[in-house]
Amino acid sequence: MFVDSHCHLDKLDYQELHNGIQDVIAKAKAANVTELLSVGVTLDSFPNMLEMIEPYDNVYASCGVHPLDVDSDFALDTLNEYASHPRVVAIGETGLDYHYQPETAELQRLRFEQQVDLAVKLNKPLIIHTRNAREDTLDILRNGQAQRCGGVIHCFTEDLAFAEAAMELGFYISISGIVTFRQATELKQVVKALPLERLLIETDSPYLAPVPHRGKQNQPAYVVEVAAYIAQLKGCPLHEVGQKTSENFRNLFLR
Ligand SMILES: [Zn+2]
Ligand SMILES: [Zn+2]
């Protein structure tokens, strides 16, 4: 059994590739992927995403404003209202991305701090996106007491020291299809060194399809390829990676 801990179900191709969200969920189930978390990136897009996933008991949602979407509409009371919906299990994605948008760094930090405060207040875990902003990410998590709500560093691409600092705050580390890419040599070493007890797996669909699907649009069923790659790196059975990461998912998001 496998869980896709991070996908954007509202962004998949429903024209050519899938016959509605039920088709995506059925393809996942056929691959033994039994639970999905569909992650919000703006307040504007959240109601539609929630409406899409609500009929399916095995699909959860998060709400938040992505660091690359900080120019979208934002109101704390709206976020608070969305976050209080019973199917919403996390706040995010939020965080910092200085790689793609260094020019919005100040606003990114403000939005990140606001979302950390809300997550702590509501005691919902955080889904963190971070790129080229290690120090500021850790500072904001520490200053905001994020260890009280916990969370996950999603689509992890940082170094081992950053993973260890995040784990010290009680955070999980989520591995995406990037680990299967040939050039991701450092990430492979980091994944080898991290305990299975702290790992989640994700697709980040529709982005980052793992090998051997690279170049196609990603979908939750493909999370099994990420699990298989981790099993191979760690020299442990695939079912153990599936079981452990599913258990971690439940401990973090369905507590
Ligand atoms: Zn992200
Ligand atoms: Zn994402």
Side-chain angles (χ1 to χ4, degrees), residues 6-8 39 41 66 93 129 154 202 204-205 207:
H6 189 118
C7 53
H8 301 280
V39 173
V41 291
H66 191 286
E93 49 190 295
H129 171 112
H154 110 87
E202 67 172 80
D204 207 8
S205 312
Y207 316 111

Side-chain angles (χ1 to χ4, degrees), residues 117-135:
D117 286 347
L118 183 68
V120 170
K121 188 183 103 187
L122 297 177
N123 192 27
K124 296 214 181 200
L126 283 156
I127 297 172
I128 305 295
H129 171 112
T130 183
R131 187 111 193 246
N132 209 9
R134 289 175 191 172
E135 285 313 308

Side-chain angles (χ1 to χ4, degrees), residues 8-9 16 22 33 48 63 65 79 87 91 106 118-119 136 139 161 179 190-191 199 203 229 246:
H8 301 280
L9 290 179
E16 308 271 325
Q22 66 280 356
V33 179
N48 173 55
C63 61
V65 174
L79 183 58
R87 198 67 74 78
I91 305 296
E106 201 177 325
L118 183 68
D136 285 0
D139 279 350
V179 76
V190 173
V191 170
L199 294 188
T203 58
Y229 202 90
S246 300

Side-chain angles (χ1 to χ4, degrees), residues 82-230:
Y82 292 166
S84 307
H85 188 282
R87 198 67 74 78
V88 173
V89 297
I91 305 296
E93 49 190 295
T94 178
L96 301 172
D97 193 321
Y98 295 170
H99 178 76
Y100 284 111
Q101 272 182 30
E103 68 279 9
T104 62
E106 201 177 325
L107 186 56
Q108 289 185 37
R109 285 192 291 271
L110 173 65
R111 291 285 179 264
F112 185 23
E113 287 163 355
Q114 289 170 313
Q115 293 179 80
V116 170
D117 286 347
L118 183 68
V120 170
K121 188 183 103 187
L122 297 177
N123 192 27
K124 296 214 181 200
L126 283 156
I127 297 172
I128 305 295
H129 171 112
T130 183
R131 187 111 193 246
N132 209 9
R134 289 175 191 172
E135 285 313 308
D136 285 0
T137 299
L138 289 173
D139 279 350
I140 288 174
L141 290 176
R142 288 185 185 123
N143 294 338
Q145 312 236 316
Q147 69 275 11
R148 289 166 61 191
C149 60
V152 58
I153 310 295
H154 110 87
C155 195
F156 190 83
T157 52
E158 304 298 326
D159 61 6
L160 185 58
F162 183 89
E164 282 167 347
M167 291 191 297
E168 254 169 55
L169 290 168
F171 275 61
Y172 289 83
I173 308 297
S174 181
I175 307 303
S176 71
I178 292 177
V179 76
T180 69
F181 297 174
R182 191 172 46 85
Q183 71 273 27
T185 47
E186 191 193 354
L187 180 61
K188 294 179 206 291
Q189 294 310 313
V190 173
V191 170
K192 260 188 187 176
L194 294 176
L196 211 42
E197 285 66 31
R198 304 306 300 176
L199 294 188
L200 298 179
I201 51 175
E202 67 172 80
T203 58
D204 207 8
S205 312
Y207 316 111
L208 297 172
V211 174
H213 306 291
R214 211 174 165 185
K216 287 197 255 173
Q217 188 180 85
N218 206 356
Q219 59 174 291
Y222 296 168
V223 81
V224 179
E225 302 296 342
V226 178
Y229 202 90
I230 294 172

